[in-house]
Amino acid sequence: MIPLKFDYEVAESVDHAVQLLGQHGEEAKLLAGGHSLLPIMKLRLAAPAVLVDIGRLGDLSYVRDAGDHIAIGALTRHADVEHSDLLREQCGLLAYTASLVGDPQVRHRGTIGGSVAHGDPASDLPSVLLALDADFVVRGSGGERTVAARDFFQDYLQTALAPDEVLTEIRVPKLGPNAGWSYQKFNRRAQDWAVVGVAAVVERQNGSISSARIGLTNMGSTPLRASAVESALSGADASSVAEAAQSAAEGTSPASDVAASDEFRRHLARVLTRRALEEALSR
Ligand SMILES: Cc1cc2nc3c(=O)[nH]c(=O)nc-3n(C[C@H](O)[C@H](O)[C@H](O)COP(=O)(O)OP(=O)(O)OC[C@H]3O[C@@H](n4cnc5c(N)ncnc54)[C@H](O)[C@@H]3O)c2cc1C
């Protein structure tokens, strides 16, 4: 399929992108790696009148140690997240999950910022960033603001980004020596989207679980936290994991589609949450 006709502008800087977005209003869309936007344009599910290409803004591609957190430029490709030594050392969950996105071609074009801004509940990185309690830095005509991942994903493909805002940076915490993590992705073929995915970050203190943060992929219209499991595990010990994981589908509303029924997705959420917690506790 061929997309509908559109105009094309190249942004020379973030400020220029903001200016172009302001000029064209809701008719305009940013183009980063194009690996989510172009497929939906080809399917005619999106028909922006103007594409503002930010793909050449090299200064938005970086992974930096920023003291208490790691700062990742929005245009950093999945492959660079996957291979970052800093992320592997300090936030292995994110580097590992990036290695599971699509295939090598997708990982060399797609960007972390595009994945976040697209807000697809079936994408792997948004639920992982939710479990990590990441922050997102966005810039628009009103200046810069920081939005917590918890407040960012609002509905299906809907985020807290205003039409004239550019996501510039993703901030993730360094996972200390007491933190274990896991991402369990259930898909039919290695390069497929997740039927369901579960991210877990578990902090331990004196033999018990001081906190567990669990993100769910493809279990509703947005990436979700498994709050009931998190509450059940606060202050608990490892023997409580299997029972707590039984609540993983509470408060979710998964779709039924060709890949799985809603009932099977709920079953997967429970099984994958148990596996994710067990793996996180074994690290
Ligand atoms: C065959 C295939 C398989 C895939 N498999 C997976 C998978 O297994 N797991 C997975 O998670 N993803 C998968 N993806 C999606 C892939 O990860 C995309 O790269 C990613 O979701 C979007 O990143 P992008 O840079 O390509 O964004 P684009 O497609 O360029 O943009 C996506 C949306 O975000 C907006 N946007 C982009 N950047 C910004 C920004 N900095 N600020 C504000 N808005 C912005 C755009 O306007 C657009 O609305 C797959 C894609 C394909 C084509």
Side-chain angles (χ1 to χ4, degrees):
M1 291 271 284
I2 298 170
L4 289 172
K5 187 170 173 292
F6 57 87
D7 288 333
Y8 175 80
E9 304 256 22
V10 175
E12 309 288 348
S13 65
V14 173
D15 288 342
H16 187 212
V18 170
Q19 183 203 319
L20 289 167
L21 289 177
Q23 192 178 317
H24 296 289
E26 301 214 6
E27 294 288 283
K29 275 271 178 206
L30 294 177
L31 176 70
H35 270 53
S36 287
L37 183 56
L38 295 183
I40 62 170
M41 286 173 67
K42 286 180 178 176
L43 292 169
R44 308 274 173 109
L45 297 173
V50 184
L51 286 189
V52 175
D53 190 350
I54 54 170
R56 298 170 206 195
L57 300 183
D59 55 346
L60 283 190
S61 176
Y62 56 83
V63 179
R64 284 185 200 135
D65 190 328
D68 65 341
H69 66 271
I70 298 167
I72 306 164
L75 274 174
T76 310
R77 312 275 169 190
H78 302 313
D80 295 324
V81 172
E82 173 187 354
H83 295 293
S84 159
D85 289 337
L86 182 59
L87 283 170
R88 284 181 175 192
E89 202 178 297
Q90 303 282 358
C91 191
L93 172 60
L94 188 58
Y96 171 70
T97 307
S99 78
L100 303 179
V101 171
D103 53 33
Q105 192 179 357
V106 172
R107 295 197 289 276
H108 279 92
R109 289 302 306 164
T111 64
I112 186 170
S115 185
V116 170
H118 192 53
D120 186 342
S123 290
D124 300 294
L125 299 179
S127 56
V128 164
L129 292 165
L130 193 61
L132 284 167
D133 277 336
D135 285 318
F136 304 137
V137 183
V138 305
R139 202 186 310 166
S141 53
E144 193 167 270
R145 64 191 179 109
T146 303
V147 186
R150 255 185 192 279
D151 302 323
F152 190 80
F153 303 105
Q154 299 190 335
D155 205 343
Y156 186 66
L157 306 188
Q158 302 290 319
T159 70
L161 281 170
D164 72 342
E165 282 183 323
V166 180
L167 172 65
T168 55
E169 188 172 277
I170 290 92
R171 294 178 178 167
V172 292
K174 293 178 178 175
L175 297 178
N178 297 327
W181 55 266
S182 173
Y183 185 65
Q184 299 287 321
K185 178 172 180 173
F186 185 91
N187 50 8
R188 292 191 291 186
R189 298 172 305 166
Q191 74 272 31
D192 280 347
W193 298 82
V195 176
V196 172
V198 175
V201 181
V202 181
E203 311 263 356
R204 288 151 297 197
Q205 213 163 31
N206 304 326
S208 64
I209 297 170
S210 53
S211 82
R213 305 197 299 275
I214 294 150
L216 302 175
T217 303
N218 221 359
M219 285 298 291
S221 58
T222 64
L224 296 170
R225 288 276 287 260
S227 312
V229 183
E230 295 180 354
S231 307
L233 287 177
S234 175
D237 63 38
S239 63
S240 315
V241 157
E243 195 184 332
Q246 289 305 310
S247 315
E250 243 176 59
T252 65
S253 50
S256 285
D257 55 30
V258 287
S261 65
D262 56 344
E263 195 188 333
F264 183 47
R265 283 201 162 89
R266 288 192 185 90
H267 168 74
L268 283 175
R270 291 188 280 268
V271 172
L272 298 177
T273 297
R274 178 179 50 74
R275 288 183 192 166
L277 288 165
E278 285 170 354
E279 186 174 64
L281 284 165
S282 71
R283 275 186 204 274

